[in-house]
Amino acid sequence: MATKNSVMVFVQQDDGIIAEVSIELISKARDLASRVNAPVSAVLMGNELRKAAESLIPYGVDLLYTAEHKGLAHYTPVPYTKVLVEIIKKHSPQIVLYGATTTGRDIAPRIASALRVGLTADCTDLQIGDYKSKGAQFQNVLYQIRPAFGGNIIATIVSPEKKPQMATVREGVMKMSSPDPSFKGQIIAEDVKLGPDDFPSEILERVKEEKSVNLKGAQVIVAGGVGVGSKENFDLILQLAHTLGGEVGASRAAVDAGYVSKDHQVGQTGTTVRPKLYIACGISGSVQHRAGMDESARIIAINTDPEAPIFQIANYGIVGDLKEVIPRFIKAFKAKV
Amino acid sequence: MGLNLIVLIKQVPDTQNITGNAMKEDGTVNRGALPAIFNPEDLHALEAALTIRDSTPGSKVHVLTMGPPSAVQVLKDSLYRGADFVALISDRRFAAADTLATSYALKCAVEKIGSYDIVLCGRQAIDGDTAQVGPQTAEKLGINQITCVSRIEDIDVDKRTITAVRSIEGGYEKIRAKLPILLTLTDEHYLPRPPSAIKLMTYKSASTEMSNTDFDESYLTSGADLKAENTISLWDINAIGADPESCGLAGSPTKVKTIDLVVLKSEDLRMIENTDESIGDMVHELIADHTLG
Ligand SMILES: Cc1cc2nc3c(=O)[nH]c(=O)nc-3n(C[C@H](O)[C@H](O)[C@H](O)COP(=O)(O)OP(=O)(O)OC[C@H]3O[C@@H](n4cnc5c(N)ncnc54)[C@H](O)[C@@H]3O)c2cc1C
C-alpha cells in the first residue's frame, strides 16, 4: 500500500489511555480517506505503547507510526513537535487532524508554523471537495467547516496549496465507529532522535481528576444562558437538572458572565452533546451554541423573546420568563413521578 | 538584572455585547455597532507581566499589538496600567492575515525589540477562540512555550528558569522550564489592575509616530521613563523587517472558500403555553415516551 498522501490523525494518549477524540477522528479519517482513495495513518507517541497501539488498529488505521521514548511519556511541546514534524515530513500525509484538547491546541499550531501550512481550529464538519481560485483548479481538498464570527454564518475554509491540510476538532463532534477486530493495519516504529536539549520543560506535578461534569454521556441536559440573569438565579438551572436527573450545560456567554464554570459550556468551543432531551433556558441559539447541541433528540426552548433563533430548532417552545417556567416544570415533574 | 517582558495583545469586537442593534435583519452582525475591547485574556497576560516586573527590579514590560490604527486604544490602555513601552504594528499589507501570517509579523516585531526573557499573551482571542497565535509565535521565535498558564509560581533569574501552573482538562500541571519562553495566560489568577489616573492624564493624548529606526534599548538600562515626547511607535512592514510575501493574505495558507448564511426552519416546533396545565401536559408526554423519568 502506498504510504504517501494518507489522512493522518495525531493520537493523544495520557498515561497509556487513548483520548476518545482521537478515536472519533480516526473514524472520520476513514470516511475522508475513502473519498480521496488514500490510507488512514495515525501517530502515537509515548513510552511503552504496544498495548495502546494494538487497540487502535481495529478502528481502521492502515499505518500506525509509533514514537517511543521515556521523555515522551507525557506531552511537552518541544520534543513532541520535533518528532511529529519529522514523521510528517517523512510520510507526507495530505491531511492531519488533531483533537482540540489542551494538548492538541498546544501542538497543532506549532506544527503548522514549523511546516508553514494552514490550520483551522474547532471545525464542526470536514468534507472533501474541489476548489477553484484565479484559474487554478484543486481537486479533493479538505473543506474545514466552522461557524464564523459575525452572526448566523458558517465558513468553509480551505488550504489547497500547502500540504498537509490541518484542522482541530472538539471531542464529541465526530462519531466514533465500532472497532473491527479483523481489520489489518501495520504498526511501524519510528526512529526517535532526541537529546537533552530537546527537553526544556519538566513536569513537576500533574493532577488530573475524573471529569466532574459529564455532558457527553448525559441523557438529559438543562442549559442556562445569559437570560438566567445572575449566578443566584442559575440555581434554578441546577434545581431543574437535579430534579430530572440530568446534567447542567451553559452558553459561552453564561460562562463568561461567571454563572457557572467553563466545563459546562456547550457549543463549538465547548462540548458537543446529543442527549435525549436538551432544555435551553435563556439561550438565544447562536450558531456557535447550536453547533454543539442541535443533534439532541428533543429540544425544549424557554425564552422571553418569541423571535429567538433557538425556537427554530426546538421541538417544544415556551415563550416566558424562565423564573416562572422552571418552577412550573419542577412542580409538574414531581407531580407525575 | 531585570527581565525583559513582551506582551502581545489584540483589540477584538466585544462578542458578549451582540445585542439587538448590532444584529442585521439576516442574522449577521453589524461589526461597526460592536464596541472594540482589549481581549480579556490578554489583559490578564499584561497583568502577569506587570506583576513579574513589580517583583523583579529592573524589569521592563513592552506591549505590542498588530491591527488597524484604531488598535492604538488598547496600547494606551496598557500604558495607563503601567506598561513601559508600546508599539503598534500596522500596515495595509498585514490585512487579512490568518494566524500563521499574524504570528510571523509578531515574531518579526518581537525580534526588533531584540533580547527578551518572557513573551506573554492571552490563551485565545474571543473573536476566534483559536488559541493558535501564541504557539505559532513561539515556534517562529524558536522558543519553548507553556500554554493555558493560570499562575506563575516562581522565576529564578539566576538559574533562568520559570515554574508555572497550567490548566489541563480536569486538573493542572506544574511545569518548570528554561527561559526564554512564551506563555499564554488564562483569566483564572491575574486580576487586571485598574488604569492609573495620573498615567491616563499623561498618555491620553499620546500620538502615534512612524518609527523606522532601530529599537532604542537604552531606556531599558537608564531607568529613565520612556517618553518625553509622549508618542507611541508605529511599526510598518519595513520597520519590523518582514517579508511582504509572508504577511497578510499572501502569507496566509488558509483561504475562506465560502461563507454561508444559516437558514433555520422550524420543522416540528410546538408552542407550549406558560401555564401549569400546558407544562404539565408536556412533561406527561415526555415521561410517556421515555424521554424523561
Ligand atoms: C469564536 C467563538 C466561539 C464561540 N463558542 C461558543 C460556544 O461554544 N458555545 C456558546 O454557547 N457560545 C459560543 N460563542 C458565543 C455565541 O456567539 C453567543 O454569544 C452566545 O452563545 C450567546 O449566549 P446566550 O444565548 O446565553 O446569550 P444571548 O445571546 O444574550 O441570549 C440570551 C437570551 O436570553 C433570553 N432571556 C432574557 N431574559 C430571559 C428570561 N428572564 N427568561 C427567559 N429568557 C430570557 C433573551 O431573549 C435571549 O434570547 C462563541 C463565539 C465566538 C465568537
Side-chain angles (χ1 to χ4, degrees):
Chain A
M1 185 188 301
T3 60
K4 290 217 182 302
N5 288 320
S6 65
V7 179
M8 182 180 270
V9 175
F10 166 72
V11 176
Q12 180 180 340
Q13 61 81 22
D14 294 293
D15 301 314
I17 298 167
I18 309 275
E20 271 181 36
V21 64
S22 303
I23 300 177
E24 294 164 4
L25 289 178
I26 290 171
S27 304
K28 184 68 194 176
R30 272 255 62 91
D31 167 41
L32 297 172
S34 69
R35 274 158 225 261
V36 297
N37 199 13
V40 169
S41 66
V43 177
L44 178 62
M45 298 191 218
N47 195 23
E48 294 174 14
L49 294 170
R50 236 194 59 174
K51 262 216 182 112
E54 283 167 1
S55 76
L56 275 174
I57 299 289
Y59 289 96
V61 182
D62 298 302
L63 302 156
L64 177 61
Y65 304 113
T66 58
E68 283 185 284
H69 189 285
K70 263 212 179 84
L72 297 177
H74 291 290
Y75 173 79
T76 56
V78 171
Y80 262 66
T81 303
K82 185 171 177 183
V83 172
L84 186 54
V85 163
E86 274 171 24
I87 291 176
I88 291 175
K89 281 187 176 160
K90 183 167 156 197
H91 299 290
S92 318
Q94 57 179 307
I95 292 170
V96 185
L97 306 177
Y98 306 79
T101 58
T102 322
T103 297
R105 281 151 60 88
D106 196 275
I107 191 170
R110 275 190 90 95
I111 302 290
S113 172
L115 300 171
R116 298 188 192 170
V117 301
L119 174 66
T120 303
D122 299 322
C123 292
T124 51
D125 195 7
L126 296 169
Q127 292 173 11
I128 299 290
D130 295 343
Y131 177 64
K132 259 191 279 198
S133 151
K134 297 186 202 105
Q137 176 89 7
F138 301 90
Q139 266 160 2
N140 288 343
V141 305
L142 181 68
Y143 288 179
Q144 304 149 44
I145 300 166
R146 77 188 298 256
F149 172 67
N152 221 352
I153 50 181
I154 298 267
T156 300
I157 317 276
V158 292
S159 39
E161 280 159 74
K162 299 266 176 76
K163 293 282 153 58
Q165 309 160 87
M166 309 210 301
T168 72
V169 179
R170 295 263 165 182
E171 182 181 325
V173 173
M174 303 300 173
K175 292 195 188 112
M176 194 188 291
S177 51
S178 30
D180 168 5
S182 65
F183 192 90
K184 295 267 176 300
Q186 277 180 65
I187 299 178
I188 301 148
E190 293 288 320
D191 251 357
V192 180
K193 292 186 214 83
L194 292 168
D197 287 348
D198 292 317
F199 299 94
S201 286
E202 182 191 348
I203 302 174
L204 302 178
E205 195 184 331
R206 192 157 193 277
V207 175
K208 218 172 154 160
E209 279 140 31
E210 272 307 298
K211 271 190 258 174
S212 56
V213 190
N214 184 8
L215 279 171
K216 218 177 125 188
Q219 299 285 325
V220 175
I221 295 173
V222 183
V226 163
V228 174
S230 68
K231 201 174 162 134
E232 290 68 49
N233 286 353
F234 211 84
D235 249 2
L236 281 170
I237 305 293
L238 306 183
Q239 279 174 33
L240 181 56
H242 183 73
T243 308
L244 304 178
E247 190 52 271
V248 173
S251 69
R252 189 181 85 167
V255 170
D256 289 346
Y259 298 170
V260 65
S261 73
K262 169 101 183 133
D263 329 337
H264 293 273
Q265 183 183 318
V266 171
Q268 183 207 355
T269 57
T271 306
T272 294
V273 298
R274 296 181 183 84
K276 286 207 306 207
L277 180 64
Y278 190 90
I279 309 176
C281 312
I283 292 177
S284 62
S286 66
V287 62
Q288 292 91 355
H289 189 78
R290 295 196 313 262
M293 47 68 74
D294 61 3
E295 288 182 29
S296 304
R298 297 285 183 82
I299 297 168
I300 301 178
I302 303 170
N303 200 304
T304 41
D305 173 11
E307 303 293 320
I310 191 76
F311 285 121
Q312 304 289 317
I313 59 162
N315 304 92
Y316 300 93
I318 307 173
V319 177
D321 187 333
L322 62 92
K323 293 190 284 302
E324 290 166 27
V325 177
I326 292 179
R328 287 201 165 112
F329 203 137
I330 293 174
K331 201 169 91 188
F333 185 77
K334 284 190 172 156
K336 305 274 174 197
V337 289
Chain B
M1 254 291 281
L3 294 166
N4 244 345
L5 308 162
I6 301 180
V7 188
L8 309 176
I9 65 171
K10 185 180 184 190
Q11 189 183 47
V12 291
D14 187 358
T15 58
Q16 285 164 52
N17 257 314
I18 305 187
T19 50
N21 58 12
M23 293 304 281
K24 293 190 264 183
E25 281 280 286
D26 62 2
T28 58
V29 171
N30 177 6
R31 279 170 181 258
L34 285 184
I37 58 166
F38 205 122
N39 182 53
E41 287 178 334
D42 298 350
L43 207 45
H44 289 78
L46 173 63
E47 180 59 36
L50 295 169
T51 307
I52 298 171
R53 182 195 62 188
D54 294 348
S55 61
T56 318
S59 301
K60 292 283 179 189
V61 173
H62 313 73
V63 178
L64 303 176
T65 191
M66 182 172 107
S70 56
V72 75
Q73 201 47 51
V74 291
L75 294 176
K76 284 189 180 174
D77 197 354
S78 304
L79 288 169
Y80 305 158
R81 291 172 203 263
D84 298 290
F85 171 86
V86 301
L88 173 66
I89 309 155
S90 195
D91 195 307
R92 285 240 172 99
R93 287 169 287 179
F94 294 138
D98 69 4
T99 62
L100 192 77
T102 301
S103 60
Y104 170 71
L106 290 172
K107 169 238 174 200
C108 294
V110 168
E111 285 180 341
K112 182 179 171 82
I113 290 183
S115 66
Y116 56 88
D117 302 293
I118 308 176
V119 181
L120 304 94
C121 55
R123 177 188 52 137
Q124 62 191 33
I126 57 170
D127 57 347
D129 277 12
T130 73
Q132 286 174 191
V133 170
Q136 287 179 325
T137 307
E139 196 283 334
K140 295 224 174 302
L141 289 165
I143 62 174
N144 190 13
Q145 70 196 25
I146 310 176
T147 56
C148 302
V149 171
S150 57
R151 195 161 51 83
I152 296 161
E153 207 172 76
D154 179 57
I155 297 176
D156 189 326
V157 180
D158 299 321
K159 291 201 185 118
R160 294 191 54 75
T161 59
I162 183 169
T163 307
V165 179
R166 74 185 286 253
S167 301
I168 57 173
E169 286 88 358
Y172 66 88
E173 273 179 353
K174 191 184 287 184
I175 309 274
R176 184 165 56 212
K178 299 192 178 97
L179 302 182
I181 196 154
L182 182 142
L183 311 177
T184 77
L185 274 290
T186 67
D187 61 3
E188 291 157 280
H189 182 74
Y190 294 99
L191 193 65
R193 66 192 63 188
S196 120
I198 298 172
K199 292 196 153 84
L200 200 144
M201 292 314 289
T202 315
Y203 295 121
K204 200 171 56 181
S205 56
S207 56
T208 41
E209 191 173 272
M210 186 67 102
S211 119
N212 281 336
T213 52
D214 280 347
F215 182 72
D216 177 12
E217 275 183 87
S218 63
Y219 87 94
L220 294 177
T221 44
S222 70
D225 236 7
L226 169 63
K227 32 195 54 88
E229 72 279 26
N230 201 7
T231 57
I232 291 171
S233 301
L234 173 66
W235 293 347
D236 67 3
I237 221 166
N238 302 324
I240 60 171
D243 168 15
E245 280 306 300
S246 300
C247 293
L249 194 60
S252 300
T254 58
K255 317 275 176 215
V256 177
K257 178 184 163 281
T258 42
I259 298 269
D260 295 307
L261 199 62
V262 186
V263 185
L264 293 172
K265 214 169 60 222
S266 56
E267 269 156 24
D268 50 357
L269 173 66
R270 257 175 58 202
M271 294 313 287
I272 307 293
E273 261 177 81
N274 181 14
T275 61
D276 283 332
E277 202 192 341
S278 304
I279 292 174
D281 289 347
M282 177 186 77
V283 169
H284 184 72
E285 212 177 286
L286 291 169
I287 292 172
D289 72 7
H290 304 291
T291 301
L292 275 180

